[in-house]
Amino acid sequence: MFLTLAYHIIDNSIHDNIAISEEAFEAQLAYLCEHGYCALSLKQAIDDINAGGQEAPSRSVLLTFDDGYADTARTALPILQKYGMRATLFVISASVGLTNRWNPRACYDAQHMTWDELRIWLANGCDIGGHSHDHLCMTRLNVDELQETVRLNKRLLEEQLQITPRAFAYPYGRFNKAVQDVVRQHYEIAFSVEEGSWDASAGRFDISRMMIYPQWSHAEFAEQLHGHFELVN
């Protein structure tokens, strides 16, 4: 069993419900390290799923980042390295090297990682998965549109990064059976943003995650972690 933590932006200057300060992020990783949590690679997480939850050590977490913001490489990666941890990044391929102007709800500009920064992320032992080509709500798309956004996203990641992506995260966490049917043609597992841990009773194409919020205190972060692991023990 493992718990997936979901991050987006690590930036002190951005005030948004998906933006965590650098200090809070480092304090959270320090807590994980000090209290015996194991940060899994994507391969280890998939191996645990394939084994029915019998592979991962106790207190295992999978650290994930959605969208592919530049601060993931420039700010989060050095902190991950400091604590000997790795993470998985879900990339919007149409936004590589651009800003987040695709998001009409954002009242700030955030730069996305370049292909070179994504290669640096990989070279430092971290993982990359798909997050669709253009980050549209996938439950609004027809089958052809679903195939296009998933297939193009994966093809660009393969061609530019010389990898075979194994995991997908649904934009906005939204999915239905039609979305799952397309994603399972291209990926081994997929993540939502529903709260919860993964265990053997859960599906591999609707893996829950614990969203990390900037308003949480350090104590609240610890309480949330403890609560999720207590539920399955």
Side-chain angles (χ1 to χ4, degrees), residues 202-222:
R204 62 170 55 226
F205 288 93
D206 57 354
I207 300 172
S208 300
R209 294 189 284 175
M210 186 174 88
M211 300 295 295
I212 309 300
Y213 295 106
Q215 62 266 32
W216 285 356
S217 67
H218 187 60
E220 287 172 319
F221 173 78

Side-chain angles (χ1 to χ4, degrees), residues 23-209:
E23 293 77 13
F25 181 65
E26 177 158 7
Q28 289 166 7
L29 293 198
Y31 181 89
L32 293 173
C33 187
E34 291 165 5
H35 290 81
Y37 287 89
C38 174
L40 301 177
S41 67
L42 183 59
K43 180 184 182 303
Q44 288 173 313
I46 293 174
D47 287 346
D48 187 56
I49 292 171
N50 291 340
Q54 301 301 310
E55 288 286 323
S58 61
R59 292 195 173 191
S60 287
V61 294
L62 179 67
L63 305 176
T64 65
F65 289 84
D66 283 6
D67 302 340
Y69 297 107
D71 57 79
T72 306
R74 301 171 190 175
T75 303
L77 181 57
I79 300 173
L80 287 164
Q81 292 172 318
K82 178 178 178 179
Y83 291 95
M85 295 186 177
R86 71 278 303 266
T88 297
L89 172 65
F90 297 108
V91 175
I92 308 168
S93 47
S95 297
V96 173
L98 303 177
T99 68
N100 67 326
R101 290 296 177 96
W102 56 267
N103 183 1
R105 297 184 298 181
C107 295
Y108 52 86
D109 286 329
Q111 187 72 30
H112 284 264
M113 293 165 69
T114 64
W115 289 115
D116 282 342
E117 286 175 317
L118 291 168
R119 294 182 189 104
I120 290 170
W121 174 262
L122 288 170
N124 282 277
C126 293
D127 298 299
I128 284 177
H131 199 36
S132 83
H133 182 61
D134 40 20
H135 206 279
L136 297 175
C137 180
M138 295 176 72
T139 56
R140 300 179 64 189
L141 305 181
N142 62 40
V143 173
D144 289 340
E145 291 169 329
L146 287 172
Q147 284 286 358
E148 178 67 11
T149 194
V150 174
R151 187 163 45 211
L152 180 55
N153 179 230
K154 188 177 183 183
R155 178 172 65 79
L156 288 170
L157 295 177
E158 290 173 335
E159 292 176 353
Q160 292 290 334
L161 304 175
Q162 303 300 301
I163 61 172
T164 301
R166 303 178 68 185
F168 187 85
Y170 304 109
Y172 308 108
R174 301 297 298 275
F175 65 93
N176 55 25
K177 183 179 183 301
V179 174
Q180 285 183 308
D181 287 346
V182 170
V183 170
R184 75 173 67 247
Q185 296 173 28
H186 302 276
Y187 289 95
E188 298 176 50
I189 61 173
F191 294 85
S192 70
V193 292
E194 298 296 323
E195 291 287 333
S197 308
W198 186 89
D199 62 32
S201 66
R204 62 170 55 226
F205 288 93
D206 57 354
I207 300 172
S208 300
R209 294 189 284 175

